[in-house]
Amino acid sequence: ALGQAQTCLDEANASDAPSQIDIEAFVRTEACDGNTSNDGVRLRMSLPLGYPTIHSASVTVVHTPKFVTRSNQDTLSSTLQATANDLIGSEAMMSIISECRNIVSDWECNSSDDIDAITSEADDDDVTSLPHNPACISRRWIWVHHITNNDRRKQIVIEANEGHLGGYLKAGYPGVVVIEGDAVACDDFVVWIKGNKSRPGGFGRNWGHHVRGEVTAEQRQLPEA
């Protein structure tokens, strides 16, 4: 009788469980001058039963600062949802919030209301301006918010191989990509990983890939693939 009562109680608790949990988060963004006076971004993250093991969070952008256009708000929503989908199997909410802050802060910092305009700047942003010297070896450290997708890892290796670059790849949180080789080839790799319309497959500027270090050397020291 006690076992039957416990079974009934378990069934009742299961039937009372919500199908999803809705969480709203306010994300304060920051411009280049450190000013945080804008009204920020408000996100709604819906966590269905099975999150995060078998289902991803559903992300809705409820509110954005005035400088974000409706088109960019839609782009932000789709980008954050893609991030959530990539993170099935692990807790994603803090990564989604961080990604949101990076994207919107970047838009504000660049004083642009067009995501395409920002993405196209990847051709010049964070790329070395050193003159090309065939005898000069360049080495770059690229910080990545996260690298968890196996296809992304393969794409990075393939692109590095095509440029005859050596280096290392650290997956996880954060991700780190180190490349070494001809300076022009390194420039080309940086343009690719930050996103370029003419070369599909790059992560895109709004994935938060930034060159954090650069040196030149007379000979290679990192392994080639």
Side-chain angles (χ1 to χ4, degrees), residues 147-198:
I147 303 177
T148 57
N149 186 287
N150 287 332
D151 289 338
R152 287 295 191 190
R153 300 184 200 184
K154 294 177 182 177
Q155 289 172 1
I156 291 173
V157 174
I158 290 172
E159 189 72 14
N161 286 341
E162 290 181 353
H164 305 289
L165 300 174
Y168 291 102
L169 168 62
K170 174 194 172 294
Y173 296 83
V176 178
V177 180
V178 183
I179 55 171
E180 179 186 73
D182 178 79
V184 172
C186 287
D187 288 347
D188 200 32
F189 182 92
V190 170
V191 169
W192 171 80
I193 200 170
K194 289 175 69 64
N196 188 320
K197 291 180 184 178
S198 63

mmCIF file of all heavy atoms in Angstrom, residues 147-198:
data_model
loop_
_atom_site.group_PDB
_atom_site.id
_atom_site.type_symbol
_atom_site.label_atom_id
_atom_site.label_comp_id
_atom_site.label_asym_id
_atom_site.label_seq_id
_atom_site.Cartn_x
_atom_site.Cartn_y
_atom_site.Cartn_z
ATOM 1 N N ILE A 147 34.827 26.962 -28.295
ATOM 2 C CA ILE A 147 34.886 26.054 -29.445
ATOM 3 C C ILE A 147 34.474 24.681 -28.936
ATOM 4 O O ILE A 147 35.235 24.005 -28.243
ATOM 5 C CB ILE A 147 36.294 25.966 -30.063
ATOM 6 C CG1 ILE A 147 36.792 27.346 -30.481
ATOM 7 C CG2 ILE A 147 36.290 25.029 -31.267
ATOM 8 C CD1 ILE A 147 38.206 27.340 -31.039
ATOM 9 N N THR A 148 33.244 24.301 -29.241
ATOM 10 C CA THR A 148 32.731 23.016 -28.766
ATOM 11 C C THR A 148 32.231 22.132 -29.904
ATOM 12 O O THR A 148 32.069 20.925 -29.713
ATOM 13 C CB THR A 148 31.577 23.230 -27.763
ATOM 14 O OG1 THR A 148 30.554 24.015 -28.387
ATOM 15 C CG2 THR A 148 32.072 23.957 -26.517
ATOM 16 N N ASN A 149 32.004 22.725 -31.057
ATOM 17 C CA ASN A 149 31.447 21.980 -32.182
ATOM 18 C C ASN A 149 32.566 21.278 -32.954
ATOM 19 O O ASN A 149 33.549 21.903 -33.361
ATOM 20 C CB ASN A 149 30.690 22.954 -33.102
ATOM 21 C CG ASN A 149 29.967 22.243 -34.218
ATOM 22 O OD1 ASN A 149 30.598 21.771 -35.147
ATOM 23 N ND2 ASN A 149 28.646 22.185 -34.138
ATOM 24 N N ASN A 150 32.422 19.969 -33.160
ATOM 25 C CA ASN A 150 33.462 19.202 -33.852
ATOM 26 C C ASN A 150 33.694 19.688 -35.277
ATOM 27 O O ASN A 150 34.825 19.687 -35.770
ATOM 28 C CB ASN A 150 33.105 17.710 -33.856
ATOM 29 C CG ASN A 150 33.283 17.067 -32.493
ATOM 30 O OD1 ASN A 150 34.108 17.513 -31.692
ATOM 31 N ND2 ASN A 150 32.511 16.021 -32.228
ATOM 32 N N ASP A 151 32.616 20.089 -35.960
ATOM 33 C CA ASP A 151 32.767 20.594 -37.321
ATOM 34 C C ASP A 151 33.605 21.864 -37.347
ATOM 35 O O ASP A 151 34.410 22.086 -38.271
ATOM 36 C CB ASP A 151 31.400 20.852 -37.954
ATOM 37 C CG ASP A 151 30.645 19.568 -38.273
ATOM 38 O OD1 ASP A 151 31.316 18.523 -38.404
ATOM 39 O OD2 ASP A 151 29.408 19.613 -38.379
ATOM 40 N N ARG A 152 33.403 22.716 -36.348
ATOM 41 C CA ARG A 152 34.190 23.946 -36.275
ATOM 42 C C ARG A 152 35.671 23.621 -36.084
ATOM 43 O O ARG A 152 36.552 24.252 -36.666
ATOM 44 C CB ARG A 152 33.708 24.811 -35.108
ATOM 45 C CG ARG A 152 32.370 25.471 -35.350
ATOM 46 C CD ARG A 152 32.453 26.473 -36.482
ATOM 47 N NE ARG A 152 31.262 27.283 -36.567
ATOM 48 C CZ ARG A 152 30.978 28.092 -37.564
ATOM 49 N NH1 ARG A 152 31.806 28.191 -38.582
ATOM 50 N NH2 ARG A 152 29.886 28.805 -37.569
ATOM 51 N N ARG A 153 35.955 22.647 -35.243
ATOM 52 C CA ARG A 153 37.357 22.262 -35.026
ATOM 53 C C ARG A 153 37.984 21.800 -36.340
ATOM 54 O O ARG A 153 39.110 22.174 -36.671
ATOM 55 C CB ARG A 153 37.441 21.139 -33.991
ATOM 56 C CG ARG A 153 36.874 21.487 -32.626
ATOM 57 C CD ARG A 153 37.101 20.338 -31.660
ATOM 58 N NE ARG A 153 36.199 20.409 -30.526
ATOM 59 C CZ ARG A 153 36.220 19.579 -29.495
ATOM 60 N NH1 ARG A 153 37.112 18.606 -29.466
ATOM 61 N NH2 ARG A 153 35.371 19.704 -28.504
ATOM 62 N N LYS A 154 37.247 20.979 -37.073
ATOM 63 C CA LYS A 154 37.768 20.475 -38.341
ATOM 64 C C LYS A 154 37.995 21.606 -39.328
ATOM 65 O O LYS A 154 38.986 21.627 -40.064
ATOM 66 C CB LYS A 154 36.795 19.443 -38.926
ATOM 67 C CG LYS A 154 36.677 18.164 -38.105
ATOM 68 C CD LYS A 154 35.632 17.225 -38.708
ATOM 69 C CE LYS A 154 35.473 15.962 -37.869
ATOM 70 N NZ LYS A 154 34.406 15.080 -38.422
ATOM 71 N N GLN A 155 37.053 22.573 -39.371
ATOM 72 C CA GLN A 155 37.190 23.697 -40.291
ATOM 73 C C GLN A 155 38.440 24.516 -39.985
ATOM 74 O O GLN A 155 39.132 24.974 -40.903
ATOM 75 C CB GLN A 155 35.951 24.595 -40.204
ATOM 76 C CG GLN A 155 34.703 23.968 -40.810
ATOM 77 C CD GLN A 155 33.458 24.800 -40.539
ATOM 78 O OE1 GLN A 155 33.523 25.848 -39.911
ATOM 79 N NE2 GLN A 155 32.320 24.309 -41.005
ATOM 80 N N ILE A 156 38.720 24.700 -38.707
ATOM 81 C CA ILE A 156 39.915 25.463 -38.313
ATOM 82 C C ILE A 156 41.175 24.759 -38.807
ATOM 83 O O ILE A 156 42.085 25.383 -39.365
ATOM 84 C CB ILE A 156 39.959 25.646 -36.786
ATOM 85 C CG1 ILE A 156 38.839 26.600 -36.338
ATOM 86 C CG2 ILE A 156 41.317 26.190 -36.342
ATOM 87 C CD1 ILE A 156 38.695 26.710 -34.838
ATOM 88 N N VAL A 157 41.239 23.455 -38.604
ATOM 89 C CA VAL A 157 42.413 22.682 -39.021
ATOM 90 C C VAL A 157 42.569 22.697 -40.538
ATOM 91 O O VAL A 157 43.671 22.882 -41.070
ATOM 92 C CB VAL A 157 42.325 21.234 -38.502
ATOM 93 C CG1 VAL A 157 43.464 20.389 -39.058
ATOM 94 C CG2 VAL A 157 42.355 21.210 -36.970
ATOM 95 N N ILE A 158 41.453 22.525 -41.256
ATOM 96 C CA ILE A 158 41.501 22.524 -42.720
ATOM 97 C C ILE A 158 42.002 23.869 -43.246
ATOM 98 O O ILE A 158 42.860 23.935 -44.130
ATOM 99 C CB ILE A 158 40.110 22.200 -43.302
ATOM 100 C CG1 ILE A 158 39.745 20.729 -43.024
ATOM 101 C CG2 ILE A 158 40.061 22.487 -44.802
ATOM 102 C CD1 ILE A 158 38.317 20.372 -43.379
ATOM 103 N N GLU A 159 41.456 24.955 -42.688
ATOM 104 C CA GLU A 159 41.863 26.280 -43.146
ATOM 105 C C GLU A 159 43.346 26.528 -42.860
ATOM 106 O O GLU A 159 44.061 27.105 -43.687
ATOM 107 C CB GLU A 159 41.007 27.347 -42.462
ATOM 108 C CG GLU A 159 41.190 28.744 -43.017
ATOM 109 C CD GLU A 159 40.578 28.928 -44.392
ATOM 110 O OE1 GLU A 159 39.782 28.065 -44.818
ATOM 111 O OE2 GLU A 159 40.898 29.939 -45.046
ATOM 112 N N ALA A 160 43.820 26.098 -41.698
ATOM 113 C CA ALA A 160 45.235 26.267 -41.356
ATOM 114 C C ALA A 160 46.117 25.458 -42.304
ATOM 115 O O ALA A 160 47.171 25.934 -42.755
ATOM 116 C CB ALA A 160 45.481 25.851 -39.907
ATOM 117 N N ASN A 161 45.690 24.241 -42.625
ATOM 118 C CA ASN A 161 46.454 23.398 -43.550
ATOM 119 C C ASN A 161 46.575 24.043 -44.920
ATOM 120 O O ASN A 161 47.635 24.013 -45.554
ATOM 121 C CB ASN A 161 45.806 22.020 -43.675
ATOM 122 C CG ASN A 161 46.032 21.151 -42.458
ATOM 123 O OD1 ASN A 161 46.942 21.410 -41.671
ATOM 124 N ND2 ASN A 161 45.218 20.128 -42.290
ATOM 125 N N GLU A 162 45.463 24.633 -45.388
ATOM 126 C CA GLU A 162 45.476 25.251 -46.711
ATOM 127 C C GLU A 162 46.434 26.434 -46.767
ATOM 128 O O GLU A 162 46.978 26.746 -47.820
ATOM 129 C CB GLU A 162 44.064 25.691 -47.088
ATOM 130 C CG GLU A 162 43.117 24.518 -47.366
ATOM 131 C CD GLU A 162 41.723 24.975 -47.760
ATOM 132 O OE1 GLU A 162 41.469 26.203 -47.680
ATOM 133 O OE2 GLU A 162 40.903 24.121 -48.138
ATOM 134 N N GLY A 163 46.642 27.102 -45.631
ATOM 135 C CA GLY A 163 47.579 28.220 -45.580
ATOM 136 C C GLY A 163 48.970 27.810 -45.163
ATOM 137 O O GLY A 163 49.825 28.673 -44.942
ATOM 138 N N HIS A 164 49.197 26.471 -45.028
ATOM 139 C CA HIS A 164 50.505 25.942 -44.602
ATOM 140 C C HIS A 164 50.923 26.540 -43.261
ATOM 141 O O HIS A 164 52.087 26.907 -43.064
ATOM 142 C CB HIS A 164 51.572 26.215 -45.667
ATOM 143 C CG HIS A 164 51.220 25.693 -47.030
ATOM 144 N ND1 HIS A 164 51.214 24.335 -47.322
ATOM 145 C CD2 HIS A 164 50.835 26.341 -48.165
ATOM 146 C CE1 HIS A 164 50.850 24.174 -48.586
ATOM 147 N NE2 HIS A 164 50.612 25.366 -49.117
ATOM 148 N N LEU A 165 49.941 26.643 -42.360
ATOM 149 C CA LEU A 165 50.187 27.206 -41.041
ATOM 150 C C LEU A 165 50.350 26.105 -40.009
ATOM 151 O O LEU A 165 49.711 25.058 -40.099
ATOM 152 C CB LEU A 165 49.033 28.120 -40.623
ATOM 153 C CG LEU A 165 48.753 29.328 -41.525
ATOM 154 C CD1 LEU A 165 47.492 30.044 -41.068
ATOM 155 C CD2 LEU A 165 49.942 30.289 -41.517
ATOM 156 N N GLY A 166 51.194 26.348 -39.033
ATOM 157 C CA GLY A 166 51.296 25.470 -37.882
ATOM 158 C C GLY A 166 50.596 26.108 -36.700
ATOM 159 O O GLY A 166 50.073 27.217 -36.799
ATOM 160 N N GLY A 167 50.574 25.411 -35.562
ATOM 161 C CA GLY A 167 49.981 26.011 -34.378
ATOM 162 C C GLY A 167 49.303 25.025 -33.472
ATOM 163 O O GLY A 167 49.557 23.812 -33.524
ATOM 164 N N TYR A 168 48.429 25.541 -32.625
ATOM 165 C CA TYR A 168 47.693 24.738 -31.656
ATOM 166 C C TYR A 168 46.231 25.175 -31.634
ATOM 167 O O TYR A 168 45.906 26.324 -31.948
ATOM 168 C CB TYR A 168 48.268 24.900 -30.246
ATOM 169 C CG TYR A 168 49.642 24.303 -30.053
ATOM 170 C CD1 TYR A 168 50.769 25.111 -30.045
ATOM 171 C CD2 TYR A 168 49.807 22.923 -29.872
ATOM 172 C CE1 TYR A 168 52.036 24.571 -29.862
ATOM 173 C CE2 TYR A 168 51.061 22.381 -29.693
ATOM 174 C CZ TYR A 168 52.175 23.202 -29.682
ATOM 175 O OH TYR A 168 53.415 22.660 -29.516
ATOM 176 N N LEU A 169 45.370 24.252 -31.225
ATOM 177 C CA LEU A 169 43.947 24.546 -31.050
ATOM 178 C C LEU A 169 43.507 24.034 -29.699
ATOM 179 O O LEU A 169 43.645 22.846 -29.395
ATOM 180 C CB LEU A 169 43.117 23.877 -32.148
ATOM 181 C CG LEU A 169 41.593 23.843 -31.946
ATOM 182 C CD1 LEU A 169 41.035 25.259 -31.884
ATOM 183 C CD2 LEU A 169 40.928 23.050 -33.058
ATOM 184 N N LYS A 170 43.011 24.938 -28.854
ATOM 185 C CA LYS A 170 42.452 24.557 -27.556
ATOM 186 C C LYS A 170 40.943 24.715 -27.631
ATOM 187 O O LYS A 170 40.431 25.829 -27.789
ATOM 188 C CB LYS A 170 43.005 25.423 -26.426
ATOM 189 C CG LYS A 170 42.325 25.153 -25.074
ATOM 190 C CD LYS A 170 42.631 26.238 -24.074
ATOM 191 C CE LYS A 170 41.787 26.064 -22.805
ATOM 192 N NZ LYS A 170 40.330 26.254 -23.045
ATOM 193 N N ALA A 171 40.231 23.616 -27.521
ATOM 194 C CA ALA A 171 38.768 23.657 -27.545
ATOM 195 C C ALA A 171 38.231 23.903 -26.139
ATOM 196 O O ALA A 171 38.964 23.837 -25.155
ATOM 197 C CB ALA A 171 38.221 22.345 -28.093
ATOM 198 N N GLY A 172 36.933 24.198 -26.049
ATOM 199 C CA GLY A 172 36.295 24.396 -24.749
ATOM 200 C C GLY A 172 36.017 25.855 -24.477
ATOM 201 O O GLY A 172 35.785 26.650 -25.388
ATOM 202 N N TYR A 173 36.056 26.224 -23.200
ATOM 203 C CA TYR A 173 35.743 27.580 -22.738
ATOM 204 C C TYR A 173 36.936 28.147 -21.988
ATOM 205 O O TYR A 173 37.277 27.626 -20.927
ATOM 206 C CB TYR A 173 34.539 27.568 -21.797
ATOM 207 C CG TYR A 173 33.248 27.130 -22.409
ATOM 208 C CD1 TYR A 173 32.944 25.785 -22.526
ATOM 209 C CD2 TYR A 173 32.330 28.068 -22.855
ATOM 210 C CE1 TYR A 173 31.750 25.374 -23.080
ATOM 211 C CE2 TYR A 173 31.135 27.662 -23.405
ATOM 212 C CZ TYR A 173 30.848 26.316 -23.509
ATOM 213 O OH TYR A 173 29.662 25.908 -24.057
ATOM 214 N N PRO A 174 37.560 29.199 -22.418
ATOM 215 C CA PRO A 174 37.425 29.733 -23.765
ATOM 216 C C PRO A 174 38.193 28.867 -24.745
ATOM 217 O O PRO A 174 38.952 27.980 -24.342
ATOM 218 C CB PRO A 174 38.065 31.118 -23.643
ATOM 219 C CG PRO A 174 39.146 30.905 -22.622
ATOM 220 C CD PRO A 174 38.561 29.925 -21.621
ATOM 221 N N GLY A 175 38.027 29.154 -26.029
ATOM 222 C CA GLY A 175 38.839 28.490 -27.036
ATOM 223 C C GLY A 175 40.020 29.375 -27.396
ATOM 224 O O GLY A 175 39.937 30.600 -27.321
ATOM 225 N N VAL A 176 41.122 28.758 -27.736
ATOM 226 C CA VAL A 176 42.308 29.513 -28.148
ATOM 227 C C VAL A 176 42.860 28.882 -29.422
ATOM 228 O O VAL A 176 43.021 27.659 -29.492
ATOM 229 C CB VAL A 176 43.400 29.514 -27.061
ATOM 230 C CG1 VAL A 176 44.635 30.273 -27.556
ATOM 231 C CG2 VAL A 176 42.887 30.135 -25.771
ATOM 232 N N VAL A 177 43.110 29.713 -30.415
ATOM 233 C CA VAL A 177 43.715 29.255 -31.661
ATOM 234 C C VAL A 177 45.049 29.981 -31.818
ATOM 235 O O VAL A 177 45.097 31.211 -31.787
ATOM 236 C CB VAL A 177 42.815 29.553 -32.875
ATOM 237 C CG1 VAL A 177 43.472 29.059 -34.160
ATOM 238 C CG2 VAL A 177 41.443 28.923 -32.691
ATOM 239 N N VAL A 178 46.118 29.226 -31.952
ATOM 240 C CA VAL A 178 47.442 29.799 -32.189
ATOM 241 C C VAL A 178 47.883 29.369 -33.581
ATOM 242 O O VAL A 178 47.857 28.180 -33.900
ATOM 243 C CB VAL A 178 48.473 29.316 -31.147
ATOM 244 C CG1 VAL A 178 49.822 29.996 -31.382
ATOM 245 C CG2 VAL A 178 47.986 29.584 -29.730
ATOM 246 N N ILE A 179 48.255 30.334 -34.409
ATOM 247 C CA ILE A 179 48.718 30.016 -35.757
ATOM 248 C C ILE A 179 50.104 30.601 -35.959
ATOM 249 O O ILE A 179 50.468 31.613 -35.343
ATOM 250 C CB ILE A 179 47.758 30.549 -36.842
ATOM 251 C CG1 ILE A 179 47.529 32.056 -36.671
ATOM 252 C CG2 ILE A 179 46.451 29.783 -36.823
ATOM 253 C CD1 ILE A 179 46.767 32.688 -37.819
ATOM 254 N N GLU A 180 50.866 29.966 -36.841
ATOM 255 C CA GLU A 180 52.222 30.430 -37.136
ATOM 256 C C GLU A 180 52.552 30.115 -38.588
ATOM 257 O O GLU A 180 52.249 29.025 -39.081
ATOM 258 C CB GLU A 180 53.224 29.727 -36.217
ATOM 259 C CG GLU A 180 54.672 30.130 -36.464
ATOM 260 C CD GLU A 180 55.630 29.297 -35.641
ATOM 261 O OE1 GLU A 180 55.812 28.098 -35.972
ATOM 262 O OE2 GLU A 180 56.187 29.827 -34.673
ATOM 263 N N GLY A 181 53.165 31.079 -39.256
ATOM 264 C CA GLY A 181 53.536 30.876 -40.648
ATOM 265 C C GLY A 181 53.755 32.194 -41.348
ATOM 266 O O GLY A 181 54.014 33.219 -40.702
ATOM 267 N N ASP A 182 53.650 32.164 -42.670
ATOM 268 C CA ASP A 182 53.799 33.366 -43.470
ATOM 269 C C ASP A 182 52.799 34.430 -43.006
ATOM 270 O O ASP A 182 51.630 34.140 -42.743
ATOM 271 C CB ASP A 182 53.547 33.025 -44.941
ATOM 272 C CG ASP A 182 53.636 34.253 -45.827
ATOM 273 O OD1 ASP A 182 54.753 34.675 -46.141
ATOM 274 O OD2 ASP A 182 52.557 34.789 -46.174
ATOM 275 N N ALA A 183 53.273 35.692 -42.912
ATOM 276 C CA ALA A 183 52.434 36.763 -42.371
ATOM 277 C C ALA A 183 51.164 36.961 -43.187
ATOM 278 O O ALA A 183 50.088 37.191 -42.625
ATOM 279 C CB ALA A 183 53.230 38.060 -42.298
ATOM 280 N N VAL A 184 51.262 36.891 -44.505
ATOM 281 C CA VAL A 184 50.082 37.064 -45.359
ATOM 282 C C VAL A 184 49.089 35.924 -45.122
ATOM 283 O O VAL A 184 47.873 36.143 -45.066
ATOM 284 C CB VAL A 184 50.491 37.142 -46.839
ATOM 285 C CG1 VAL A 184 49.255 37.135 -47.731
ATOM 286 C CG2 VAL A 184 51.315 38.389 -47.103
ATOM 287 N N ALA A 185 49.601 34.694 -44.986
ATOM 288 C CA ALA A 185 48.721 33.559 -44.716
ATOM 289 C C ALA A 185 48.036 33.716 -43.365
ATOM 290 O O ALA A 185 46.866 33.362 -43.198
ATOM 291 C CB ALA A 185 49.514 32.252 -44.760
ATOM 292 N N CYS A 186 48.752 34.264 -42.384
ATOM 293 C CA CYS A 186 48.149 34.510 -41.069
ATOM 294 C C CYS A 186 47.055 35.564 -41.170
ATOM 295 O O CYS A 186 45.987 35.436 -40.565
ATOM 296 C CB CYS A 186 49.215 34.951 -40.068
ATOM 297 S SG CYS A 186 50.338 33.646 -39.522
ATOM 298 N N ASP A 187 47.318 36.632 -41.948
ATOM 299 C CA ASP A 187 46.294 37.656 -42.174
ATOM 300 C C ASP A 187 45.044 37.031 -42.766
ATOM 301 O O ASP A 187 43.917 37.318 -42.345
ATOM 302 C CB ASP A 187 46.812 38.734 -43.133
ATOM 303 C CG ASP A 187 47.860 39.635 -42.512
ATOM 304 O OD1 ASP A 187 48.021 39.592 -41.287
ATOM 305 O OD2 ASP A 187 48.515 40.376 -43.266
ATOM 306 N N ASP A 188 45.253 36.176 -43.761
ATOM 307 C CA ASP A 188 44.139 35.542 -44.459
ATOM 308 C C ASP A 188 43.336 34.660 -43.504
ATOM 309 O O ASP A 188 42.101 34.636 -43.538
ATOM 310 C CB ASP A 188 44.675 34.709 -45.621
ATOM 311 C CG ASP A 188 43.611 34.410 -46.662
ATOM 312 O OD1 ASP A 188 42.717 35.254 -46.852
ATOM 313 O OD2 ASP A 188 43.660 33.333 -47.270
ATOM 314 N N PHE A 189 44.014 33.943 -42.632
ATOM 315 C CA PHE A 189 43.338 33.077 -41.664
ATOM 316 C C PHE A 189 42.502 33.907 -40.691
ATOM 317 O O PHE A 189 41.367 33.540 -40.359
ATOM 318 C CB PHE A 189 44.367 32.246 -40.895
ATOM 319 C CG PHE A 189 43.759 31.291 -39.906
ATOM 320 C CD1 PHE A 189 43.457 29.983 -40.286
ATOM 321 C CD2 PHE A 189 43.478 31.673 -38.601
ATOM 322 C CE1 PHE A 189 42.885 29.093 -39.386
ATOM 323 C CE2 PHE A 189 42.910 30.803 -37.699
ATOM 324 C CZ PHE A 189 42.609 29.504 -38.091
ATOM 325 N N VAL A 190 43.054 35.029 -40.230
ATOM 326 C CA VAL A 190 42.327 35.892 -39.291
ATOM 327 C C VAL A 190 41.067 36.437 -39.944
ATOM 328 O O VAL A 190 39.991 36.469 -39.333
ATOM 329 C CB VAL A 190 43.232 37.038 -38.791
ATOM 330 C CG1 VAL A 190 42.418 38.067 -38.010
ATOM 331 C CG2 VAL A 190 44.359 36.486 -37.914
ATOM 332 N N VAL A 191 41.185 36.866 -41.208
ATOM 333 C CA VAL A 191 40.001 37.357 -41.928
ATOM 334 C C VAL A 191 38.948 36.263 -41.999
ATOM 335 O O VAL A 191 37.755 36.508 -41.795
ATOM 336 C CB VAL A 191 40.401 37.825 -43.347
ATOM 337 C CG1 VAL A 191 39.154 38.071 -44.193
ATOM 338 C CG2 VAL A 191 41.239 39.090 -43.274
ATOM 339 N N TRP A 192 39.381 35.034 -42.294
ATOM 340 C CA TRP A 192 38.439 33.914 -42.406
ATOM 341 C C TRP A 192 37.745 33.618 -41.089
ATOM 342 O O TRP A 192 36.525 33.494 -41.025
ATOM 343 C CB TRP A 192 39.168 32.657 -42.891
ATOM 344 C CG TRP A 192 38.305 31.429 -42.813
ATOM 345 C CD1 TRP A 192 37.346 31.042 -43.699
ATOM 346 C CD2 TRP A 192 38.300 30.454 -41.766
ATOM 347 N NE1 TRP A 192 36.745 29.877 -43.272
ATOM 348 C CE2 TRP A 192 37.313 29.494 -42.088
ATOM 349 C CE3 TRP A 192 39.037 30.290 -40.591
ATOM 350 C CZ2 TRP A 192 37.048 28.402 -41.278
ATOM 351 C CZ3 TRP A 192 38.776 29.197 -39.786
ATOM 352 C CH2 TRP A 192 37.785 28.264 -40.131
ATOM 353 N N ILE A 193 38.498 33.494 -40.012
ATOM 354 C CA ILE A 193 37.898 33.054 -38.750
ATOM 355 C C ILE A 193 36.970 34.112 -38.168
ATOM 356 O O ILE A 193 36.019 33.799 -37.456
ATOM 357 C CB ILE A 193 38.987 32.659 -37.724
ATOM 358 C CG1 ILE A 193 38.378 31.758 -36.636
ATOM 359 C CG2 ILE A 193 39.646 33.880 -37.103
ATOM 360 C CD1 ILE A 193 39.394 31.109 -35.720
ATOM 361 N N LYS A 194 37.213 35.387 -38.495
ATOM 362 C CA LYS A 194 36.337 36.437 -38.011
ATOM 363 C C LYS A 194 35.102 36.602 -38.887
ATOM 364 O O LYS A 194 34.147 37.247 -38.500
ATOM 365 C CB LYS A 194 37.094 37.767 -37.922
ATOM 366 C CG LYS A 194 38.118 37.809 -36.793
ATOM 367 C CD LYS A 194 38.922 39.081 -36.821
ATOM 368 C CE LYS A 194 38.089 40.278 -36.461
ATOM 369 N NZ LYS A 194 37.570 40.241 -35.081
ATOM 370 N N GLY A 195 35.131 36.008 -40.076
ATOM 371 C CA GLY A 195 33.950 36.037 -40.927
ATOM 372 C C GLY A 195 34.141 36.927 -42.128
ATOM 373 O O GLY A 195 34.578 38.064 -42.013
ATOM 374 N N ASN A 196 33.833 36.404 -43.290
ATOM 375 C CA ASN A 196 33.954 37.174 -44.519
ATOM 376 C C ASN A 196 32.928 36.633 -45.501
ATOM 377 O O ASN A 196 32.869 35.439 -45.753
ATOM 378 C CB ASN A 196 35.373 37.021 -45.079
ATOM 379 C CG ASN A 196 35.637 37.952 -46.248
ATOM 380 O OD1 ASN A 196 34.783 38.155 -47.104
ATOM 381 N ND2 ASN A 196 36.837 38.512 -46.278
ATOM 382 N N LYS A 197 32.113 37.518 -46.083
ATOM 383 C CA LYS A 197 31.056 37.082 -47.000
ATOM 384 C C LYS A 197 31.604 36.302 -48.189
ATOM 385 O O LYS A 197 30.969 35.379 -48.674
ATOM 386 C CB LYS A 197 30.304 38.312 -47.525
ATOM 387 C CG LYS A 197 29.464 39.022 -46.486
ATOM 388 C CD LYS A 197 28.785 40.206 -47.153
ATOM 389 C CE LYS A 197 27.996 41.015 -46.148
ATOM 390 N NZ LYS A 197 27.375 42.183 -46.785
ATOM 391 N N SER A 198 32.792 36.712 -48.667
ATOM 392 C CA SER A 198 33.335 36.070 -49.856
ATOM 393 C C SER A 198 33.960 34.714 -49.553
ATOM 394 O O SER A 198 34.294 33.978 -50.459
ATOM 395 C CB SER A 198 34.392 36.974 -50.508
ATOM 396 O OG SER A 198 35.495 37.164 -49.634
#
